Amino acid sequence: MNQLFVEKSDDLGRKNAIIAGIVDALHEIISTRNLDDITAPYIHALFVFTHPYSIAISQLLFEKKSLTYLLHLLDHQDQQIINSALAAIVNILYCGVISTNNTLPHPYYEELYQQGGIQKIFTLFQQTTHQFSKNCSATCLVLVFRSREMPYPEMKDYIISHLKSIVNHQDEETRNEAILALQCLQQNSYFNLQTYDKEQLNNATGQLFIYQFGEDMTQSWLKEHFEQFGRVISIFLPVSMGKSRGFGFVTMKEKEASLRAFNHCFHTSLN
């Protein structure tokens, strides 16, 4: 399974594999075996269905209750398996964000809440000393609480503090994870980030996370659109089968330009 799909944008292949019962079989293994008997290849086989991101595939996984089984794996003793499970949860939640209106609560919130997943992820965030797990768990909570108030003030404070601490991290993947999460927070009125916080984020990086646009979006259109705010250094637009996945990154040369672009995009649509 890993050889078939790892790092490949093959939505049709993934869909056919799901229809054939591969995901159901993985769920059966996770739910019936002792956690100690579940080894890394099983979770990796499930993870490759979530990456690269695909809204359609993530929706199928949600309907198959994959979040329930991934949450179960967070009780595993193997840190690698915990990390893979968290990464898969993040991927599914991201697709829920980019496929729905950002003024509405996350479509998968109720499922995660009913499974006790929110408390489990927050507990992991508080207790883990592993950087990747802490980053992923913080991101999960930011995404799932879109347009919704967090139940505990300390949850919000701890998460924001952590994300700010890694926004300039030397590792690019870690840095991007923090940027994505913080930009999601900026669009959540319940978090009420101060102006200073917004400027701090945009001064730390010229990179913007953009999403919720059509599959016909092109790099050339984005470049022309964002150059009205300043010089565009690069654009990353993930595609599947030649079509946009509905999200991407725009990197501006000047931090001030990225702030102007963000303020504009916050009030308008790219569609």
Side-chain angles (χ1 to χ4, degrees), residues 12 54 83 90 92 110 114 116 124 141 152 158 169 260 266:
L12 180 59
S54 167
N83 289 350
V90 167
I92 293 173
E110 290 297 335
Q114 293 296 332
L124 178 61
L141 293 167
Y152 321 113
Y158 290 160
H169 199 279
R260 289 194 298 270
F266 184 80

Side-chain angles (χ1 to χ4, degrees), residues 226-234 251-254 257 260:
F226 280 94
E227 279 187 337
Q228 65 182 297
F229 307 107
R231 182 181 173 187
V232 174
I233 296 177
S234 66
T251 303
M252 314 289 291
K253 181 179 181 181
E254 299 176 351
R260 289 194 298 270

Side-chain angles (χ1 to χ4, degrees), residues 24-55:
D24 289 331
L26 291 170
H27 289 171
E28 179 71 14
I29 290 171
I30 293 171
S31 63
T32 58
R33 295 189 183 182
N34 292 327
L35 279 176
D36 291 342
D37 295 329
I38 301 173
T39 55
Y42 293 111
I43 175 57
H44 290 163
L46 189 55
F47 171 80
V48 296
F49 282 95
T50 73
H51 184 77
Y53 305 117
S54 167
I55 293 172

Side-chain angles (χ1 to χ4, degrees), residues 1-169:
M1 191 61 59
N2 291 341
Q3 293 178 342
L4 283 175
F5 298 129
V6 67
E7 298 295 338
K8 297 178 182 177
S9 299
D10 184 2
D11 285 2
L12 180 59
R14 285 178 169 82
K15 181 178 180 180
N16 288 337
I18 292 173
I19 293 173
I22 299 299
V23 168
D24 289 331
L26 291 170
H27 289 171
E28 179 71 14
I29 290 171
I30 293 171
S31 63
T32 58
R33 295 189 183 182
N34 292 327
L35 279 176
D36 291 342
D37 295 329
I38 301 173
T39 55
Y42 293 111
I43 175 57
H44 290 163
L46 189 55
F47 171 80
V48 296
F49 282 95
T50 73
H51 184 77
Y53 305 117
S54 167
I55 293 172
I57 299 303
S58 289
Q59 179 62 37
L60 288 175
L61 293 174
F62 174 72
E63 293 170 0
K64 289 284 187 180
K65 306 292 184 181
S66 289
L67 286 175
T68 299
Y69 302 98
L70 291 168
L71 287 169
H72 178 58
L73 291 174
L74 298 186
D75 294 324
H76 208 287
Q77 296 300 308
D78 188 321
Q79 187 64 55
Q80 182 183 7
I81 290 177
I82 293 173
N83 289 350
S84 295
L86 275 171
I89 293 172
V90 167
N91 292 343
I92 293 173
L93 294 179
Y94 265 139
C95 288
V97 166
I98 65 179
S99 63
T100 54
N101 191 307
N102 60 19
T103 64
L104 299 176
H106 197 289
Y108 303 158
Y109 171 85
E110 290 297 335
E111 176 71 17
L112 213 59
Y113 175 79
Q114 293 296 332
Q115 298 295 329
I118 292 173
Q119 185 59 54
K120 175 175 280 192
I121 292 172
F122 183 53
T123 299
L124 178 61
F125 169 78
Q126 290 179 299
Q127 296 179 352
T128 186
T129 58
H130 195 276
Q131 183 74 46
F132 185 87
S133 287
K134 188 172 283 289
N135 297 346
C136 276
S137 54
T139 301
C140 283
L141 293 167
V142 167
L143 295 176
V144 80
F145 276 100
R146 184 185 72 177
S147 295
R148 188 185 293 270
E149 180 68 276
M150 286 186 173
Y152 321 113
E154 63 270 21
M155 179 186 286
K156 177 173 65 176
D157 294 341
Y158 290 160
I159 290 172
I160 291 176
S161 176
H162 173 70
L163 291 173
K164 287 182 180 179
S165 73
I166 60 173
V167 75
N168 286 314
H169 199 279

